[in-house]
Each structure stands twice: as structure tokens, then as C-alpha cells.
């Protein structure tokens, strides 16, 4: 992979990440049915991904060529931005998993604990020897592996996988129990079964978001472990660049996943596109109408 293709890949990811996640924010903002605590956390994740597209990726492009030079503090700030948005994403995913756990295992307390105000409070709480600004020369790999990866990425990922495993197991057991029970109260059991299926579908969609995040980010963290624990082990530059691009690409995939797995988001996206299309057609009709009004006057002036 040459430098030009790498830059093009970064720019395409930045564009898709920015536009796609702006669409997610617009869908939740314009559609009242989407204004749920779960989706507020997804908006938080979308905002972090927008920042990746508009801020982090441009910073990554600059640091790929060693810029800025002779300015250690600005360089450190730019590299810290890359790490910060990763942490924001992982804690947004953790908040979603905890919210789903409370919704399923503590439904009576869900309305008290998971209010929009509490969700907003959780969202707001997620916070070299060379003259060239290169990541591996400025950021300590000990910090990246033991604190950033083990403590702030791997531990939350394990907690989230355990939460979703318990959710899937419990819902499946309840569905099996409802299917085997017969007698009175079949209407209530039917409503309960429908609720369980809805919760299972939502949990599956959110688990796919978590799974894609893991697939996109773990390879880069594994390479960081090699750089720290085995300094003499060769790491091909092509492999390193591929894992970096893969990690940034995660910021662009979630809107497509929401559209594919969540009917409410898909309908909201369609409504936004249809609205934009209608506005565009209205502008064209308005322009055509203005031209039609203008042309007769033009013809009259020519006759004179």
C-alpha cells in the first residue's frame, strides 16, 4: 500500500463516517420514536465517530508524515485525540450494554435508573527523541498496552460480552419456558413472548455493533503488544497500515449496520432521504416556474 492509496482510504472513511453518523443524529433528532435511552447512547457513539472523521483522521494523516515537526506538545495533543475518541466509543458501547442489562433484568427500576437526564450525565462523563511526530516515537507503548488496551479496552469488552451472553441465555430460557407452558393467561404470555423477541432482536443488533468494534480494533492492539513485548519481532509496515485503516473504518460502519438491522432507523433514514429529494424537486420546480415567468417578459422586451 503506497502513501497515496493510504490517504485516499483515510479520506473515504472520514467522509463516510461523518455523513453516515450525521444521518444517525438527524434520525434520532427528527423522529420521536427513536428518542430512547438506548438511542441516546448510540448518538453519543455517533458523535464520537463524527469526531473521528472530522478531527482524528486528519490528525492521523498529518502524523503519518511526521507533522507537526519540532512541536512536541501539539504533536502529543493530536495523538491524544486519536486515543480519546477510541475511549469515548468503547465507553458508549459499555453504557449501551449496561442499559440493555437493566432493561431486561431490572424492568421495574428501568424507568427510574435509565432516564434521559441520567443518560446525558453518563455521556458527558466519558472523557520523543525525534523531531518528527510519529505515534510510536511519542506515545509510550507501555501505556498503550497495559492501560489503554488491557484496562480501557479489553476489560470493558470482556464485561460487555459477558452481559450480552447473559442476556441471550436468559431471554432464550424465558422463551423456551413460555413455549412449554399452557393453560390460562395465554394472552399475557403471548405479550411477554413478543416483548422477549423484541428485546432479543435489539440485543442482537447492538451485539453486532460491539462485535464489529472488536474485529476492527483488536488487530491494532495486538500489534501494539508485539511492539512492546517483542521489540525485535518484525511487524510489516503493510500490516500495520492495514490495521490502522481497519480501526478507523469502524467509525463508518455503524450507520450501515443500523439501517440493515433496525427497522426504525431504516425507516427514519428513508424519510430523511425522501424529504431531501422532495426539497430538491421543489427547488427545481420553483426555478422552472421563475424561468417561465421571466421568459414572457423577455420576449415582450425583444418585440419592442
Amino acid at each position: 500500500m503506497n502513501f497515496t492509496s493510504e490517504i485516499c482510504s483515510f479520506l473515504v472513511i472520514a467522509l463516510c463516517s461523518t455523513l453516515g453518523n450525521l444521518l444517525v443524529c438527524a434520525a434520532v433528532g427528527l423522529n420521536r420514536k427513536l428518542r430512547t435511552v438506548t438511542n441516546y447512547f448510540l448518538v453519543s457513539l455517533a458523535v464520537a465517530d463524527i469526531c473521528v472523521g472530522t478531527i482524528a483522521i486528519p490528525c492521523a494523516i498529518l502524523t503519518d508524515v511526521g507533522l507537526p515537526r519540532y512541536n512536541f506538545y501539539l504533536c502529543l495533543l493530536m495523538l491524544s485525540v486519536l486515543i480519546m475518541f477510541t475511549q469515548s466509543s468503547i465507553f458508549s458501547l459499555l453504557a449501551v450494554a449496561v442499559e440493555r442489562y437493566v432493561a431486561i433484568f431490572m424492568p421495574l427500576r428501568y424507568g427510574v435508573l435509565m432516564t434521559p437526564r441520567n443518560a446525558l450525565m453518563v455521556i458527558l462523563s466519558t472523557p520523543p527523541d525525534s523531531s518528527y511526530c510519529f505515534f510510536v516515537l511519542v506515545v509510550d507503548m507501555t501505556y498503550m498496552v497495559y492501560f489503554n488496551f488491557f484496562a480501557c479496552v479489553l476489560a470493558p469488552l470482556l464485561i460487555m460480552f459477558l452481559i450480552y451472553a447473559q442476556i441471550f441465555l436468559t431471554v432464550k430460557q424465558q422463551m423456551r419456558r413460555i413455549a412449554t407452558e399452557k393453560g390460562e393467561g395465554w394472552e399475557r404470555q403471548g405479550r411477554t413472548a413478543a416483548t422477549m423477541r423484541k428485546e432479543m432482536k435489539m440485543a442482537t443488533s447492538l451485539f453486532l455493533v460491539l462485535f464489529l468494534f472488536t474485529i476492527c480494533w483488536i488487530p491494532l492492539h495486538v500489534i501494539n503488544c508485539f511492539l512492546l513485548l517483542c521489540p525485535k519481532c518484525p511487524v510489516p509496515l503493510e500490516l500495520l497500515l492495514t490495521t490502522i485503516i481497519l480501526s478507523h473504518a469502524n467509525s463508518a460502519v455503524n450507520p450501515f449496520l443500523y439501517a440493515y438491522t433496525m427497522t426504525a432507523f431504516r425507516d427514519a433514514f428513508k424519510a430523511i432521504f425522501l424529504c431531501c429529494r422532495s426539497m430538491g424537486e421543489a427547488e427545481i420546480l420553483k426555478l422552472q416556474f421563475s424561468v417561465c415567468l421571466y421568459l414572457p417578459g423577455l420576449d415582450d422586451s425583444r418585440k419592442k
Side-chain angles (χ1 to χ4, degrees), residues 30 268-282:
L30 297 174
F269 292 163
K270 288 180 181 179
I272 292 174
F273 284 127
L274 290 175
C275 181
C276 293
R277 180 180 177 182
S278 299
M279 291 175 62
E281 291 177 349

Side-chain angles (χ1 to χ4, degrees), residues 23-286:
L23 186 61
V24 172
C25 296
V28 176
L30 297 174
N31 192 325
R32 291 184 178 181
K33 293 182 179 180
L34 289 175
R35 296 175 193 172
T36 64
V37 173
T38 303
N39 290 340
Y40 290 155
F41 289 126
L42 294 183
V43 167
S44 172
L45 179 61
V47 171
D49 289 336
I50 291 171
C51 292
V52 169
T54 58
I55 301 175
I57 290 181
C59 289
I61 293 174
L62 290 175
T63 57
D64 271 356
V65 296
L67 297 176
R69 295 189 61 185
Y70 304 106
N71 193 333
F72 173 77
Y73 294 104
L74 179 58
C75 173
L76 187 61
L77 175 63
M78 293 171 59
L79 296 177
S80 298
V81 164
L82 299 174
I83 301 172
M84 180 183 67
F85 291 133
T86 306
Q87 298 307 120
S88 177
S89 298
I90 192 72
F91 287 123
S92 293
L93 290 172
L94 180 59
V96 170
V98 172
E99 187 271 340
R100 286 292 84 202
Y101 182 90
V102 174
I104 293 175
F105 294 100
M106 293 182 285
L108 297 179
R109 299 188 62 189
Y110 179 84
V112 177
L113 294 174
M114 295 300 172
T115 63
R117 179 175 178 271
N118 290 342
L120 180 61
M121 292 176 62
V122 172
I123 291 169
L124 293 178
S125 65
T126 52
D129 296 330
S130 170
S131 61
Y132 289 89
C133 182
F134 291 118
F135 191 94
V136 294
L137 298 178
V138 176
V139 179
D140 185 8
M141 278 297 120
T142 301
Y143 163 82
M144 286 300 299
V145 171
Y146 291 108
F147 180 76
N148 183 263
F149 179 41
F150 289 167
C152 296
V153 174
L154 190 59
L157 283 178
L158 291 176
I159 293 172
M160 284 185 279
F161 275 103
L162 289 175
I163 288 175
Y164 282 112
Q166 187 172 1
I167 288 174
F168 291 139
L169 182 61
T170 301
V171 172
K172 189 174 181 180
Q173 289 175 346
Q174 291 182 354
M175 292 290 293
R176 188 182 296 114
R177 178 180 57 80
I178 292 172
T180 56
E181 289 181 354
K182 295 180 181 181
E184 298 181 357
W186 62 271
E187 291 184 359
R188 179 178 60 83
Q189 292 179 355
R191 290 193 297 269
T192 303
T195 301
M196 289 295 101
R197 284 193 292 269
K198 183 178 179 181
E199 293 290 352
M200 177 67 84
K201 184 177 180 180
M202 174 61 74
T204 301
S205 299
L206 297 174
F207 177 77
L208 287 176
V209 176
L210 171 63
F211 181 75
L212 285 178
F213 180 91
T214 304
I215 293 297
C216 291
W217 276 99
I218 287 298
L220 180 59
H221 285 293
V222 170
I223 287 181
N224 288 339
C225 291
F226 270 102
L227 293 175
L228 175 67
L229 303 177
C230 186
K232 296 182 180 180
C233 295
V235 177
L237 180 60
E238 295 286 332
L239 178 62
L240 179 59
L241 293 178
T242 301
T243 58
I244 292 174
I245 291 174
L246 181 63
S247 66
H248 290 310
N250 178 251
S251 299
V253 299
N254 287 339
F256 296 98
L257 186 60
Y258 301 155
Y260 181 74
T261 61
M262 300 182 187
T263 304
F265 269 105
R266 183 164 60 250
D267 292 342
F269 292 163
K270 288 180 181 179
I272 292 174
F273 284 127
L274 290 175
C275 181
C276 293
R277 180 180 177 182
S278 299
M279 291 175 62
E281 291 177 349
E283 289 297 326
I284 292 174
L285 291 174
K286 183 178 178 181

